[in-house]
């Protein structure tokens, strides 16, 4: 952990709360993290609690603010009523105002201190300037000088800003979430070839580990003994399980199939493929947070304007010969009004309402920036497996020959494969069950290494099921009547398995990842909105071309490894495109984080969900079109609120400073406070109109 500001990129935020970063830390996998002074890694008990911190302080401060407002002399004079008094009631604004200042306002003062140390004054500095000046002047008015106390303005200012920052922090991305989910892919322990169990972190290069059926591979390595099929879809995006034999490479975090493997460890720690994905996710999320620099810059300039306005007001009225009490009242009025109550609520309120609307329509918005950026998207890049397709192997076609029919071919294949755990065989079994085709009990079942399976049915017939290598082993030719269909299936990237009875082909079955029924409608709706639709996948060119043709996609990228998926997104972005990435797997995490908008299918992995900005709760790609409509409506309300809030400051600050005092127009503190409150109410009411949008 270091505390050197020279090592922290300008504008970098704490990944736990969004405040100015003061510490940079590299973990054991080489991934860089940034933290503010209140969220060091060793302070893990506080990690991720910032939204709750703002929430708790907001509610208690709100409760205390009510009596402060009701017992304020200014409010009572303005409303024309007085509450019953009791001994000490006159001290309520001072006592409770002080509690609110130190309890509710401390978080802003600490935030401002962090911004100033980082030489990046922003919203925290601006809020602190207002509440400090209001509190100090109110103390002076209470004990030392004749003036109007600002305790009720102080209290309401703190409450409004706590609420705004509570809403803001709820949408701050916790970069640790996706990385923790990625880490869960690795098992906690590994079994060495000698049977000893050790923590995965203690594995060394050259160790030999035993990976049992159904277990996770603990480290990147090379198979030295055994044969199995390994599910790598969560890492590579390849929808089919991959056969592994001697000298095959395996990847940490993938799931072993039906056989046992002995694996020699070739990579550990930060060198593994999974660690590389974690690094890509972290880097992409960190780079995305820098897009918030524009908002910080606006707050910086507003801070400068407030300070200059306050100083100019002080100097001008002192030169004009006004009393110190009158002059300070003008200065504090300027600083309080300069603090953008409405501006602080303009974005969080709209965001809160829009995210609620999204949730009601199957859209879970995790990141404010994600919803804001959706309106500018011009390319939607879909992952194939589990997103446009169902992510599971299923029978597409059955071609019978030699007097057989579809049901008889499925019957033979399913009867033999029902004891197999291979995904292709299970697809045939599932198809037979769906058609209510009965299955016979096989005898003398055996797996033919790398070729298929074989068993005896009805006590006499030898039935074999497998791919092209099975035919080569048995020296059987593909029947002429099947060649045309098989050639087309190969072009489409479908898998073909042959069914043999007594060494004669009786039929063939094609198996593929099934396209989701909703996908075609989703693509059509996006094109109607003027958005280009593309697909990216780890599957073969044939598979990708077939899916792209069926759905009418504008473009596709095939045989793309996880790290290259993020590169493809960058390439599109370099060409000027605003890219939305839609995915569901670990292999999609870097691309989801890199994209201008990351959208995760709700049934996907926790890693994909953590890396995305928006989640499709209903697992329906047609809902993506709703995102763009909601984004445009949300942006419109944000602009309206920002225009009003900014316009209010432009008019109110000069009046508060007394620039029109020469013609008898001067803004009293009570009227300034009223305008401040009215501006906030107008912004809040306008945000509520967003609820009328129909998705």
């Amino acid at each position: 952990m270091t505390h050197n500001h020279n090592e922290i990129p300008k504008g970098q935020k704490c990944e736990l709360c969004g405040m100015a970063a003061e510490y940079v830390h590299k973990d054991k996998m080489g991934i860089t993290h940034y933290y503010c002074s209140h969220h060091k890694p060793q302070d893990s008990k506080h990690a991720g609690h910032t939204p709750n911190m703002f929430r708790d302080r907001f509610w208690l401060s709100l409760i205390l603010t009510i009596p402060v407002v009701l017992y304020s002399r200014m409010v009572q004079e303005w409303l024309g009523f007085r509450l019953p008094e009791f001994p000490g009631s006159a001290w309520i604004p001072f006592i409770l105002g002080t509690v609110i200042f130190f309890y509710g306002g401390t978080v802003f003062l600490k935030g401002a201190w962090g911004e100033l140390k980082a030489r990046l004054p922003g919203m925290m500095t601006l809020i602190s300037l207002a509440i400090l000046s209001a509190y100090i002047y109110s103390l002076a008015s209470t004990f030392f000088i004749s003036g109007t106390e600002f305790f009720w303005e102080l209290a309401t200012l703190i409450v409004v800003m706590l609420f705004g920052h509570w809403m803001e922090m709820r949408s701050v991305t916790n970069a640790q979430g996706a990385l923790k989910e990625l880490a869960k892919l690795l098992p906690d322990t590994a079994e060495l070839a000698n049977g000893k169990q050790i923590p995965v972190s203690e594995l060394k290069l050259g160790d030999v580990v035993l990976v049992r059926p159904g277990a996770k591979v603990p480290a990147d390595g090379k198979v030295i003994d055994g044969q199995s099929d390994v599910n790598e879809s969560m890492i590579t995006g390849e929808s089919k399980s991959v056969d592994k034999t001697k000298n095959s490479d395996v990847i940490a975090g993938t799931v072993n199939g039906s056989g046992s493997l002995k694996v020699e460890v070739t990579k550990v720690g930060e060198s593994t493929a999974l660690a590389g994905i974690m690094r890509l996710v972290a880097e992409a999320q960190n780079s995305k947070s820098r897009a918030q620099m524009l908002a910080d810059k606006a707050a910086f300039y507003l801070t400068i304007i407030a300070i200059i306005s306050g100083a100019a007001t002080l100097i001008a009225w002192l030169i004009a010969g006004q009393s110190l009490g009158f002059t300070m009242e003008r200065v504090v009025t300027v600083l309080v009004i300069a603090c953008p109550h409405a501006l602080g609520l303009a974005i969080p309120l709209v965001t809160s309402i829009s995210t609620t609307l999204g949730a009601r329509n199957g859209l879970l918005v995790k990141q404010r920036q994600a919803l804001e950026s959706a309106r500018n998207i011009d390319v939607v890049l879909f992952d194939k497996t589990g997103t446009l397709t169902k992510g599971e192997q299923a029978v597409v076609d059955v071609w019978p020959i030699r007097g057989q029919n579809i049901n008889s071919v499925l019957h033979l294949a399913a009867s033999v494969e029902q004891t197999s755990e291979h995904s292709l065989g299970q697809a045939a079994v599932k198809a037979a069950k769906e058609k209510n085709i009965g299955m016979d009990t096989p005898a003398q079942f055996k797996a033919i290494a790398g070729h298929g399976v074989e068993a005896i049915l009805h006590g006499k017939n030898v039935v074999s099921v497998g791919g092209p290598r099975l035919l080569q082993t048995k020296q059987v030719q593909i029947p002429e009547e099947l060649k045309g269909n098989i050639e087309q299936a190969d072009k489409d990237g479908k898998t073909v398995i042959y069914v043999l009875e007594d060494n004669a082909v009786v039929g063939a079955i094609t198996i593929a990842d099934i396209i989701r029924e909703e996908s075609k409608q989703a693509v059509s709706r996006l094109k109607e909105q003027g958005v280009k639709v593309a697909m990216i996948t780890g599957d073969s060119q044939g598979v990708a071309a077939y899916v792209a043709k069926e759905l009418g996609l504008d473009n596709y990228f095939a045989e793309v490894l996880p790290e290259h998926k993020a590169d493809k997104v960058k390439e599109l972005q370099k060409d000027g495109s605003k890219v939305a990435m839609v995915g569901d797997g670990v292999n999609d995490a870097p691309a989801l984080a890199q994209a201008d908008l990351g959208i995760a299918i709700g049934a996907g992995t926790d890693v994909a969900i953590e890396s995305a900005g928006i989640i499709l709760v209903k697992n329906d790609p047609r809902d993506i079109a709703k995102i763009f409509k909601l984004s445009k409506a949300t942006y419109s309300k944000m602009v309206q609120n920002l225009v009003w809030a900014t316009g209010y400051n432009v008019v109110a600050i000069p009046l508060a400073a007394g620039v029109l005092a020469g013609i008898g127009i001067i803004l009293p503190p009570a009227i300034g406070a009223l305008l401040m409150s009215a501006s906030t109410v107008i912004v809040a009411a306008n945000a509520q109109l967003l609820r009328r949008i129909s998705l």
Side-chain angles (χ1 to χ4, degrees), residues 135-328:
Y135 183 69
I136 293 172
Y137 179 73
S138 295
L139 283 180
S141 299
T142 301
F143 295 104
F144 305 112
I145 64 176
S146 176
T148 305
E149 48 85 11
F150 280 84
F151 283 119
W152 82 272
E153 291 97 331
L154 168 70
T156 54
L157 170 59
I158 290 175
V159 166
V160 168
M161 287 305 169
L162 282 172
F163 179 75
H165 279 74
W166 173 24
M167 294 296 102
E168 181 82 8
M169 289 302 105
R170 286 202 332 186
S171 64
V172 169
T173 304
N174 186 348
Q176 296 297 307
L179 301 180
K180 289 177 181 177
E181 294 300 333
L182 280 165
K184 289 179 183 178
L185 289 177
L186 285 177
D188 295 326
T189 61
E191 182 180 355
L192 297 179
N194 60 13
K196 182 181 179 181
Q197 295 278 347
I198 66 170
V200 169
S201 59
E202 295 182 9
L203 284 174
K204 302 183 296 296
L205 295 179
D207 282 346
V208 177
V209 296
L210 177 64
V211 185
R212 297 183 181 275
K216 292 181 179 179
V217 178
D220 289 5
K222 186 180 294 291
V223 176
I224 60 174
D225 188 29
Q227 178 183 332
S228 185
D229 57 295
V230 176
N231 183 352
E232 298 182 342
S233 61
M234 69 287 294
I235 300 293
T236 67
E238 173 65 45
S239 56
K240 295 181 291 187
S241 293
V242 181
D243 290 329
K244 300 294 183 181
T245 57
K246 188 174 181 179
N247 294 325
S248 296
D249 293 325
V250 292
I251 306 172
T254 56
V255 182
N256 188 24
S258 57
S260 293
L261 298 173
K262 283 188 178 180
V263 176
E264 181 182 351
V265 175
T266 57
K267 291 181 181 178
V268 293
E270 63 181 20
S271 300
T272 63
L274 185 59
I277 293 176
M278 293 174 70
R279 190 176 299 106
L280 285 168
V281 170
E283 290 174 356
Q285 287 179 325
N286 285 337
S287 65
K288 177 176 285 187
S289 67
R290 297 185 187 107
Q292 301 172 30
M293 288 180 64
L294 183 60
D296 296 334
K297 188 174 292 186
F300 168 78
Y301 287 120
L302 196 53
T303 302
I304 300 301
I305 291 172
I307 294 174
I308 292 175
S309 298
T313 301
L314 174 66
I315 294 171
W317 284 115
L318 288 178
I319 292 176
Q322 287 291 341
S323 66
L324 180 61
F326 174 86
T327 300
M328 292 307 300

Side-chain angles (χ1 to χ4, degrees), residues 306-569:
I307 294 174
I308 292 175
S309 298
T313 301
L314 174 66
I315 294 171
W317 284 115
L318 288 178
I319 292 176
Q322 287 291 341
S323 66
L324 180 61
F326 174 86
T327 300
M328 292 307 300
E329 184 177 278
R330 291 296 93 215
V331 171
V332 175
T333 303
V334 166
L335 293 177
V336 170
I337 287 178
C339 183
H341 298 64
L343 194 60
L345 282 179
I347 301 302
L349 269 180
V350 173
T351 300
S352 178
I353 293 171
S354 63
T355 52
T356 301
L357 281 175
R360 290 175 181 172
N361 287 272
L363 313 173
L364 178 58
V365 179
K366 291 179 69 259
Q367 301 171 9
R368 184 196 69 192
Q369 294 83 2
L371 187 62
E372 290 177 0
S373 64
R375 66 185 180 86
N376 295 319
I377 296 299
D378 42 42
V379 175
V380 175
L381 184 61
F382 282 94
D383 169 59
K384 180 189 74 69
T385 306
T387 305
L388 290 174
T389 66
K390 293 183 178 181
E392 58 185 46
Q393 299 295 314
V395 172
V396 178
D397 293 299
V398 180
W399 299 313
I401 61 174
R402 289 184 58 199
Q404 300 284 340
N405 57 45
I406 291 175
N407 287 358
S408 64
V409 173
L410 275 177
H411 164 75
L412 292 173
S415 295
V416 175
E417 292 281 10
Q418 62 182 306
T419 57
S420 169
E421 296 183 7
H422 198 285
S423 59
L424 298 181
Q426 287 303 303
V429 173
K430 182 179 179 181
K433 290 180 178 178
E434 290 174 351
K435 290 179 173 288
N436 294 317
I437 298 173
M439 290 175 277
D440 293 322
T441 302
Q444 299 180 31
F445 173 87
K446 66 176 180 179
I448 305 172
H451 295 74
V453 295
E454 187 173 275
I456 295 177
L457 296 181
H458 313 129
K460 57 179 179 177
N461 299 332
V462 179
V463 178
S464 309
V465 183
R469 284 187 289 182
L470 177 67
L471 299 186
Q472 294 172 8
T473 299
K474 292 185 172 292
Q475 297 181 346
V476 175
Q477 298 296 317
I478 298 175
E480 287 294 329
E481 58 192 283
L482 292 183
K483 286 185 177 179
N485 290 333
I486 291 171
E487 287 178 2
Q488 186 59 50
D490 288 338
K491 289 180 181 178
D492 294 340
K494 300 174 183 176
T495 300
V496 180
I497 60 174
Y498 300 91
V499 181
L500 286 70
E501 188 172 21
D502 295 330
N503 285 344
V505 176
V506 296
I509 300 173
T510 59
I511 297 174
D513 190 3
I514 303 299
I515 297 175
R516 296 165 65 102
E517 296 175 358
E518 308 90 347
S519 295
K520 187 166 288 188
Q521 292 181 27
V523 172
S524 176
R525 292 179 185 180
L526 290 171
K527 286 190 172 184
E528 288 174 1
Q529 294 187 357
V531 178
K532 292 182 179 179
V533 186
M535 178 183 71
I536 190 167
T537 178
D539 265 340
S540 66
Q541 287 285 344
V543 172
Y546 170 73
V547 175
K549 180 181 178 182
E550 288 293 306
L551 295 178
L553 303 181
D554 295 301
N555 197 4
Y556 68 88
F557 307 98
E559 300 177 3
V560 182
L561 296 176
E563 59 269 26
H564 295 157
K565 283 189 176 183
D567 291 339
K568 288 294 182 184
V569 173

Side-chain angles (χ1 to χ4, degrees), residues 570-581:
K570 291 178 183 178
E571 288 176 15
L572 291 171
Q573 291 171 328
K574 286 179 181 178
D575 292 337
S577 297
K578 296 294 183 180
V579 182
M581 174 70 193

